[in-house]
């Protein structure tokens, strides 16, 4: 069981006891920042107005936390949470509710990410979290809660992207956008609300090839089939598989098949 002793100011006259109690209450709030099992004395020399929150620094760390969750990087998520906790300790003396609201807002970003990823079972976890944050007594308690919630969300993300139906949707999206010159890992990651690195690693794990190789192979096979249509010239075929530069398309095609598109068309090669 943790304990804490918050000392007020030493007063010579009992009429000043209110000031002493007020100082003790201020010190009591500091347990939230320092944790329990300590004694906090009031020191006039050290007592000074607390500066405002450095919202830019806080927001920067929160962005990193969300980014690490998208990357499913367990170790770095914990490091970023530690960084946020350490920063907030420097604002000892600010209202505790103001600090707790930062974490409630962070959990709101977790909820938004889960919604974007269509992870419906995260709602069961999310619904109880604001009350749990409100009932915490120290930054250490909040840190442990954030560790737990972050790992829960990561587990749900991993389960979702190990599901073959998600990869099927990814491949369907590639097929539907094969003519799009901007079809890329960046576009796929943005559409499916996941980091590029995690998307690439999961695709390679499940399909045994990179997303870029998969897309190029799809484009080249379609281009080869389109060459049998005499009504389409090479430039038109290039556009139908997402190439705006016919010369570059021919270069990629030859690298893939060993022949230029015009050679395959003129000689009827397969």
């Amino acid at each position: 069981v943790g304990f804490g002793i918050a000392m007020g100011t030493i007063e010579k006259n009992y009429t000043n006891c209110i000031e002493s109690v007020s100082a003790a209450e201020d010190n009591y709030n500091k347990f939230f920042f320092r944790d329990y099992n300590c004694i906090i004395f009031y020191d006039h020399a050290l007592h000074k107005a607390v500066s405002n929150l450095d919202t830019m620094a806080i927001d920067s760390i929160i962005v990193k936390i969300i980014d690490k969750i998208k990357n499913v990087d367990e170790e770095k998520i914990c490091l970023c949470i530690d960084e946020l906790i350490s920063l907030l300790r420097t604002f000892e003396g600010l209202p505790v509710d103001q600090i707790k609201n930062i974490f409630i807002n962070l959990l709101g970003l977790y909820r938004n990410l889960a919604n974007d990823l269509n992870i419906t079972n995260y709602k069961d976890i999310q619904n109880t979290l604001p009350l749990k944050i409100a009932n915490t007594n120290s930054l250490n308690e909040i840190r442990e809660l954030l560790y737990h919630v972050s790992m829960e969300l990561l587990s749900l993300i991993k389960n979702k992207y190990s599901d073959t139906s998600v990869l099927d949707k990814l491949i369907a999206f590639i097929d539907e956008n094969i003519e799009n010159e901007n079809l890329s890992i960046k576009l796929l990651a943005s559409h499916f609300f996941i980091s590029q690195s995690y998307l690439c690693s999961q695709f390679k794990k499940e399909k045994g090839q990179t997303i870029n190789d998969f897309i190029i192979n799809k484009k080249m096979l379609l281009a080869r089939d389109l060459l049998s249509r005499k009504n389409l010239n090479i430039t038109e075929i290039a556009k139908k598989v997402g190439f705006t530069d016919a010369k570059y398309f021919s270069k990629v095609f030859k690298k893939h098949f060993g022949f230029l598109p015009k050679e395959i068309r003129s000689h009827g090669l397969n």
Side-chain angles (χ1 to χ4, degrees):
V1 178
F3 77 93
I5 300 175
M7 305 292 291
T9 55
I10 298 174
E11 303 293 342
K12 295 180 179 180
N13 192 316
Y14 74 92
T15 59
N16 296 328
C17 65
I18 294 177
E19 285 78 2
S20 181
V21 171
S22 177
E25 288 176 345
D26 288 342
N27 281 339
Y28 180 78
N29 286 332
K30 292 178 183 178
F31 287 122
F32 177 80
F33 297 88
R34 300 190 191 183
D35 209 9
Y36 288 92
N37 300 325
C38 64
I39 300 173
I40 300 177
F41 295 91
Y42 186 91
D43 189 327
H44 281 289
L46 297 177
H47 184 68
K48 58 181 179 179
V50 179
S51 60
N52 292 326
L53 283 171
D54 186 348
T55 55
M56 288 186 63
I58 293 169
D59 289 346
S60 175
I61 298 173
I62 288 175
V63 167
K64 285 196 292 184
I65 291 173
I66 298 299
D67 181 63
K68 300 311 175 188
I69 289 178
K70 288 182 177 181
N71 279 291
V72 195
D73 192 333
E74 295 182 19
E75 182 180 353
K76 290 186 179 177
I77 289 170
C78 292
L79 290 175
C80 289
I81 291 173
D82 288 344
E83 183 181 359
L84 179 59
I85 295 293
S86 295
L87 174 62
L88 291 174
R89 287 192 195 281
T90 65
F91 298 104
E92 178 183 286
L94 282 178
V96 169
D97 287 345
Q98 186 177 354
I99 303 298
K100 289 182 177 180
N101 281 337
I102 292 170
F103 295 101
I104 291 173
N105 291 336
L106 173 58
L107 293 174
L109 296 177
Y110 279 26
R111 181 191 62 242
N112 292 342
L113 178 58
N115 289 340
D116 289 340
L117 294 173
N118 198 28
I119 300 176
T120 55
N121 46 344
Y122 181 71
K123 292 178 182 177
D124 297 333
I125 304 171
Q126 174 68 30
N127 290 339
T128 62
L129 293 177
L131 182 59
K132 288 182 178 179
I133 291 288
N135 289 335
T136 55
N137 295 307
S138 69
L139 283 173
N140 282 352
E141 288 182 27
I142 290 180
R143 176 172 56 194
E144 294 305 315
L145 179 60
L146 274 182
Y147 283 167
H148 175 72
V149 174
S150 300
M151 295 308 113
E152 287 274 2
L153 181 54
L154 284 187
S155 177
L156 293 172
I157 292 174
K158 286 180 180 179
N159 290 339
K160 180 178 179 64
Y161 283 94
S162 62
D163 184 352
T164 55
S165 65
V166 176
L167 289 177
D168 290 341
K169 290 177 183 178
L170 178 72
I171 292 170
F173 182 84
I174 291 172
D175 289 336
E176 292 165 5
N177 291 273
I178 204 72
E179 293 186 32
N180 185 351
E181 63 183 276
N182 296 315
L183 181 60
S184 63
I185 294 170
K186 182 178 180 180
L187 177 64
L188 293 169
S190 175
H191 181 79
F192 287 93
F193 298 100
I194 199 67
S195 75
Q196 296 182 44
S197 60
Y198 186 67
L199 187 59
C200 288
S201 65
Q202 284 300 107
F203 192 92
K204 180 74 179 289
K205 178 182 176 181
E206 297 295 330
K207 294 298 181 181
Q209 65 181 139
T210 67
I211 293 179
N212 280 334
D213 286 346
F214 182 84
I215 291 173
I216 288 296
N217 189 53
K218 282 264 185 183
K219 287 175 179 286
M220 293 301 102
L221 290 174
L222 176 58
R224 186 188 63 183
D225 293 341
L226 291 174
L227 285 169
S228 62
R229 299 186 187 181
K230 303 299 182 181
N231 61 319
L232 295 175
N233 61 41
I234 302 299
T235 299
E236 290 171 328
I237 292 172
K239 288 181 179 179
K240 283 189 172 295
V241 293
F243 287 84
T244 55
D245 186 335
K247 289 183 177 179
Y248 180 65
F249 160 71
S250 294
K251 181 179 179 181
V252 174
F253 190 94
K254 183 174 182 179
K255 181 179 179 181
H256 198 79
F257 290 115
F259 297 93
L260 290 170
K262 64 181 181 181
E263 293 174 329
I264 287 185
R265 170 166 279 179
S266 61
H267 296 292
L269 300 173
N270 292 318

